[in-house]
């Protein structure tokens, strides 16, 4: 019978591209490729040994699997893959806090306390706005 394993070729925040290399035996059918995760479920029947799924959610876990029939048996392999998280860079202007010179030193106690308070407030706002 055929044996094979999945190999990731490219992974972004919205796309999983992968291939598989069959070894030994011959297949009796096209490869059946599945992607499952959350509300996403996609299926493809392919003769080639590579594919990509696009328009996926960032920082989300998906299960990809490849199955084929050989010698009247179904052979399959699967892999759990998490898409990359999107990272946003930006600046924030804080208008309700008096600037202290200690904030320039990221090792200072004042900076660390301010950073902790800022993260907590931003996190709370994010939860409230969902």
């Amino acid at each position: 019978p055929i044996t094979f394993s999945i190999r990731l070729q490219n992974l972004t925040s919205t796309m999983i591209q992968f291939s598989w290399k069959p070894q030994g035996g011959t297949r009796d059918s096209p490869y059946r490729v599945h992607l499952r995760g959350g509300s996403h479920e996609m299926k493809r029947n392919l003769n080639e040994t590579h594919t990509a799924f696009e328009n996926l959610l960032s920082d989300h876990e998906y299960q990809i699997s490849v199955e084929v029939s050989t010698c009247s048996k179904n052979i399959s392999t699967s892999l759990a893959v998490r898409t990359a998280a999107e990272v946003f860079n930006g600046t924030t202007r804080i208008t309700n806090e008096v600037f202290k010179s200690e904030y320039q030193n990221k090792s200072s106690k004042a900076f660390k306390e301010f950073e902790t308070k800022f993260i907590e407030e931003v996190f709370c706002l994010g939860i409230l706005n969902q």
Side-chain angles (χ1 to χ4, degrees):
I2 293 176
T3 61
F4 54 92
S5 60
I6 295 172
R7 193 181 96 199
L8 287 177
Q9 293 181 309
N10 194 5
L11 181 65
T12 69
S13 60
T14 59
M15 188 259 306
I16 299 171
Q17 182 180 18
F18 59 99
S19 64
W20 55 97
K21 184 178 180 182
Q23 295 180 337
T26 57
R27 62 186 172 93
D28 301 333
S29 67
Y31 296 101
R32 293 176 298 281
V33 182
H34 300 250
L35 174 130
R36 292 180 189 89
S39 61
H40 280 82
E41 183 165 355
M42 297 181 215
K43 298 179 181 181
R44 297 183 180 157
N45 290 326
L46 302 170
N47 285 316
E48 57 268 6
T49 59
H50 58 88
T51 193
F53 290 104
E54 299 178 287
N55 302 315
L56 303 176
L57 299 173
S58 68
D59 193 29
H60 196 82
E61 187 165 305
Y62 291 94
Q63 186 78 21
I64 54 177
S65 63
V66 179
E67 181 179 296
V68 68
S69 295
T70 178
C71 302
S72 300
K73 293 181 183 178
N74 286 332
I75 307 296
S76 67
T77 188
S78 64
L79 182 66
V81 179
R82 179 173 289 277
T83 50
E86 288 185 274
V87 176
F88 296 96
N89 291 320
T91 58
T92 302
R93 183 180 191 116
I94 300 173
T95 58
N96 64 342
E97 183 84 23
V98 176
F99 181 79
K100 298 176 183 174
S101 61
E102 293 96 334
Y103 292 163
Q104 292 178 340
N105 178 357
K106 292 184 179 184
S107 303
S108 72
K109 182 178 178 185
F111 177 83
K112 290 182 184 218
E113 288 172 353
F114 174 78
E115 180 182 43
T116 299
K117 180 181 171 189
F118 178 80
I119 291 169
E120 287 172 356
E121 289 181 9
V122 168
F123 181 71
C124 287
L125 282 174
I127 291 174
L128 294 174
N129 289 329
Q130 285 184 355

